[in-house]
Amino acid sequence: MASSGSSSISNNDINPSCIYDVFLSFCDKDTSESLASYLYTALTVAGIVVYKDEDKLLNHDQMITSSVLHAIAGSRLSIIVFSKLYAVSTCCRQELEKIMECRRTTCQIVVPVFYDADPSGVFHQEDLLGEASKYLKQRILKKDKLIHEVCNISGFAVHSRNESEDIMKIVDHVTNLLDRTDLFVADHPVGVKSRVQDIIQLLNSQESKSPLLLGVWGMGGIGKTTIAKAAYNKIHHDFEAKSFLPNVREVWEQDNGVVSLQQQLLSDIYKTTKIKIDTVESGKMILQERLRHKRIFLVLDDVNKLDQLNALCGSHGWFGEGSRIIITTRDDDLLGRLKVHYVYRMKEMDSNESLELFSWHAFKQPIPIEGFGELSTDVVKYSRGLPLALQVIGSFLLTRRRKKVWKRVLEKLTKPDDKIQEVLKLIFDNLSDNIKETFLDIACLNLSGMSLDDLLQIFQKDVHFTELGMEELVINGLVNLDSEKRIGMHDLVQLFGREIRQEKSTGMAAGGIYDVFLSFRGDDTHAKFISHLYTALENAGIYVFRGDDEIQRELENIMGNSRTQGMVVVPVFYKIDPTEVRNQSGRFGEDFESLLLRMSVDTHKFSNWRRALAEVRGTTGVVIINSRNESEDIRKIVDHVTNLPDRTDLFVADHPVGVDSRVQDVIQLLNNQESKDPLLLGIWGMGGIGKTTIAKAAYNKIRHDFEAKSFLLNVREVWEQDNGVVSLQQRLLSDIYKTTKIKIETVESGKMILQERLRHKRIFLVLDDVNKVDQLNALCGSHEWFGEGSRIMITTRDDDLLSRLKVDYVYRMKEMDGNESLELFSWHAFKQPIPIEGFGDLSTDVVMYSGGLPIALQVIGSFLLTRRRKKEWKSVLEKLKLIPNDEVLEKLKISFDGLSDDDVKEIFLDIAFFFIGMDQEEVTTILEGCGHFADIGISLLVQKSLVTVDRKNKIGMHDLLRDMGREIVRKKSIEISKEPSRLWRYEDVDSVLSKATRALDVKGLTLKMSRMDSRTYMETKDFEKINKLKFLQLAGVQLEGNYKYLSRDIRWLCWHGFPLKYTPEEFHQEHLVAVDLKYSHLEQVWKKSQLLKELKFLNLSHSHNLKQTPDFSYLPNLEKLILKDCPNLSSVSPNIGNLKKILLINLKDCTGLCELPRSIYKLKSVKTLIVSGCTKIDKLEEDIEQMTSLTILVADKTSVTRVPFAVVRSKSIGFISLCGFEGFARNVFPSIIQSWMSPTNGILPLVQTFAGTSSLEFFDEQDNSFYGLPSFHKDLPNLQRLWFKCKSEAQLNQTLASILDNLHTKSCEELEAMQNTAQSSKFVTSASTHCCSQVPSSSSQNSLTSLFIQIGMNCRVTNTLKENIFQKMPPNGSGLLPGDNYPDWLAFNDNGSSVTFEVPKVDGRSLKTIMCTVYSSSPGDITSEGLKVLLVINCTKNTIQLHKSDALLASFDEEEWQKVVSNTEPGDIVNVTVVFENKFIVKKTTVYLVYDEPNDIKAKPCLESDGNVSNNGLNYALLVQII
């Protein structure tokens, strides 16, 4: 068995020197305008090269020319159209004689066609030939021998009444007769036969008529292609149509390669090129529709991507009954994804086969020559049955007959895992320099399949391309020649050559740097015309390459690219009639025939040239004959070329989920500038989030609007290459000015050239993946570099770079939302937009793990595509949580590797392991205590998109970045064979501590056990081995033994659930910076106080046994003291007044605390004091005025009844919550003063009453209304609905706070968050209410519980949405709620109990319904027990609507409903909040805005009302999740 990359005709009885497929013999007098013409066209369309004598009309009574005789002799098949006047024509009689002669001497195929006559009349000379046949009989041996011979050949009878169908039958018949082309298999097909039999047996193993897909799988060089070719030759005649697509991997990578493969497949099956494929997606649709109508045999050779299979053989349903498809690949996983029926696993050759194949190549015989048996066996053992290795090594040793040389060669072959590359390198190194260049030319210039003679003639002026060199390459097995001397090269050999060439190349990529290739013939085209045309094109900014004199070779390649790659061809017929070109007639035809005789081209080459000339004639071009103004003609050509459309779109994504909306946002920013100044836009986000995808899509969308454009891909990567900076500058200049004549020698000269050149054009430039400021300086220095109206986009992971460049806008990439994530994942995992049945929950788990990162969704989805067992999915997910996917990891790790400072890398790893979710200030202090420059480091990590800091100053990190950090530590420990520097898994902690026999270099340890697990016990003695520990985080862990073994270097101690009553005296804590002992069992912090000079943060919250505070005199540098929810704490040590640096004191919910020590009021550094929930504190001293730094005072839910005068006098307090007053001081203080002056005399509001006393509406119409609130509190328990209109945003905030305080539902933090939302939000919804007749709910004990709320009217759309929601609500549904379904409904969701949005405008629709749903893991009926009120807050109109749970069960009257509608308009900012009792924690809220149907299809409302309800309705739907 052997491998070969070439294909050719072999074992064929047809004359190999033929230059035409068909010679068409006909009488022009009665067929030229009908059958012959149509038949010629049909044959040509089917890809058959036909010779048709166009001059016969003028010469039908004369002798035929030598060119016609030559054409007959050079044709593989002749069609004779017998018509009534055929024998009368002298030309026809001579053609018939020559045709029948060729049939006898060269086995030419003859197909007679009887036109409007009975075939039986031919032999008897009746009807068809008449009297004229007598002359013909006498000319041919006087015995009717010729006529008899013709009549014995199977032919066709054509009748004018059904001519088109008859022509189709003739074309099909001729196509089948001509198709006797077997593929070249191998010179020495050792072992091929048995393997082909196995293949055919598998192909025939299916009894049903369904299509069968067979994969041939094995490593490179094992002979997959060889076996596939042999099988194809064996059985392709048994099918209606067939196609062998070689080297799919290689063709795929070429420009427009995908479409060319699709087009080739379609042409092979239907024998036509008239069905054009323009795009990959249209190609899929065409193939899917066309292939299924025939029983075909298809081979896809060397497939390496799933996209290739999707584009060429999408699924079994693409093919007709009985079809067979073979796919050769090195990737077994691809076959699984396509769900092939069988996989034939290629086996290595056994020792006998190996020895025979090697001997054929090494000795030209099937066994070794005498004396070389053992050495040959050594080669066979080394090659391990790999055919390519046997072939290459054998060919290399063919001319070497000294054993010493053989042994030396074998000694060099020492890498068994890379045999082929090593062998090829050895052979290549032994070649001379000229022959090396010849080899590299063949490998890199796609010369496989070309004739050796043609190549030698083309490269005749090239000193290194010689016949001797070719022979050397053949002898060495690097190149092979088939029976027709066509060059072949194995794909692995070709890849080897290209890699060598790539290593040597440092310049720009060759592809696509020219706009125009100018092909001409130097000896007959006026130099003046070509020179002027070239100059005119260059002056127009068109980059031109002038061809050489090999016009025939250029033309063939040009037209080939036109067919396969969409190249635009513009023919210029200079002083020649276009018909002469197409028909090869006149002077042009004579020169063409002379060329054929001079070059002795083969059938394949001649057919290609004829085809190319015919296609040129059919292409729109410019004719210049007898021109009086050639300069005008040149101008027209240039204008035509300039106006040709640019069709080169960048590939975006196979499944562009979420791309359109983001591209619209980007384009909106690009168009956001009214002036003509250039605009620079940054696209910023973490790796893998889709920055390049969005940039490509935006580039494709608007690049046509600019004079010039350039997309510089992978700037970071190219920058690192040799001379990469200059190559990027050169590429940019070439893209904009379409020339490489302006040479850039250095970076600095490049800056000057670009700065001068770019400003003269309106350009669109994209710089992709920028990571250094030097890149920006070299490629787009500043705004002044660019012309008016230019737009520049920069994608980067580094926000700081954009600031330095002073970009106009920054588009911050967001992760995909849940719906987008699920859809993208489903496309890759299931090949459909939603999960398959049974995999919904698992898919949701993957989506949650991926965190909205597109690359993770894509990679993990593709990996799971062929895995359909739930157990396997669960196993994959568990592994991913421990060890991230390599492909995702490498993408994310680029940002980490780009950190030049090791200190910043250490900070990133520390955050990934320990500090996610913590306050930035606290983390900074802890890290600085370890010697890190944390302030700068964290800032840099934020700029690099590796870390986030939210508005609450909490540090965040994407889960996958966190996992990447853990994996970096794990891999590094393996590389250096040491323990990990940070430990986070119990298994690792246990293994490292129990097995260690020496001191370990561990920086941090975090061990958080699940609450479901029993307490974990560990020995303190084990910690003696990690005496450099700086970070210790424990939860659910108890240490037993002496605490002296714990590290003295600990800076951060976080131990939730600390089990002891006191901190042990022997525990050395002198270097502690932060202590977090929440939920501890401490009664006293330190039984014996220790001086902790470095301690800055102390958090003992939820320590229910804590009775006293520590002695603060031992904590001189404490900055934050947090003692929330310590109910047994009865007093605060008076020496708290010694804390000169304290910034925060939080004593919230310390219900046993009766008073604050007077010394606390002397703390001038305190900025925040929180005593809310300290119910026994009844007084704040006037001394509070001494706290000159106090900014936030929160003392609600205490027994304090009067605000001290000192609070109002304070110049520092900015926010206050005290005695029912809450908000910013500037807004609250006037109300406090008003309460002192007239505590019972509020501003009287205008009160309107609906439906008795169940509904109130308050409108405050006074300018100074904020100094008082309506006293509705006493009526609130009796009200079911409350509407309140505020005069200002400040009053809205206070009113809302007062309502919530009255309901006893919101903590200080939650209220603050809600107020911030109301004050700063730019996006909220319009709201109005109308109630459904019931509030459905579903629940199960100790399981997820859901609640559904609807406000508004029912209609067809609301019923559809409700049904959809109920199906997906727990406990029976997946929990994945429906998303937007514009224009019927729009969905808004957020974590917690509140959703804020802007009311959209939907043309032709009005808001009909609002729906809401609630999830809860709490047992019981959350509707009756938990739900208190629904609030709809219009932040634009400053209105509040309150609906109690009972009100949601009642319906509105007409007047109330009209109030809802009039209060809600598009553009309003609305907040919808669901308020529950304290035991319910809202997890997630979803709101649906449901719109009515267009007027012509509106459904009758389902709800009944006392009045006519307006169609301009509004409906809400909410979904709330509670834990």
Side-chain angles (χ1 to χ4, degrees), residues 3-11 16 181-188 229 391 447-453 455 470 474 478-489 602 604:
S3 298
S4 173
S6 65
S7 62
S8 67
I9 302 171
S10 63
N11 301 324
T181 55
D182 279 351
L183 301 174
F184 174 78
V185 176
D187 291 319
H188 309 290
K229 286 180 178 179
Q391 175 184 334
L447 302 181
S448 293
M450 293 189 67
S451 166
L452 174 60
D453 294 334
L455 282 179
M470 286 298 302
V474 172
L478 295 176
V479 167
N480 56 68
L481 295 175
D482 63 18
S483 58
E484 295 185 0
K485 297 184 71 175
R486 292 185 185 278
I487 292 177
M489 179 179 286
D602 59 23
H604 178 77

Side-chain angles (χ1 to χ4, degrees), residues 358-377:
F358 172 73
S359 298
W360 276 117
H361 288 280
F363 310 111
K364 296 299 181 184
Q365 62 182 41
I367 59 174
I369 62 176
E370 185 176 355
F372 281 80
E374 292 184 4
L375 288 170
S376 297
T377 302

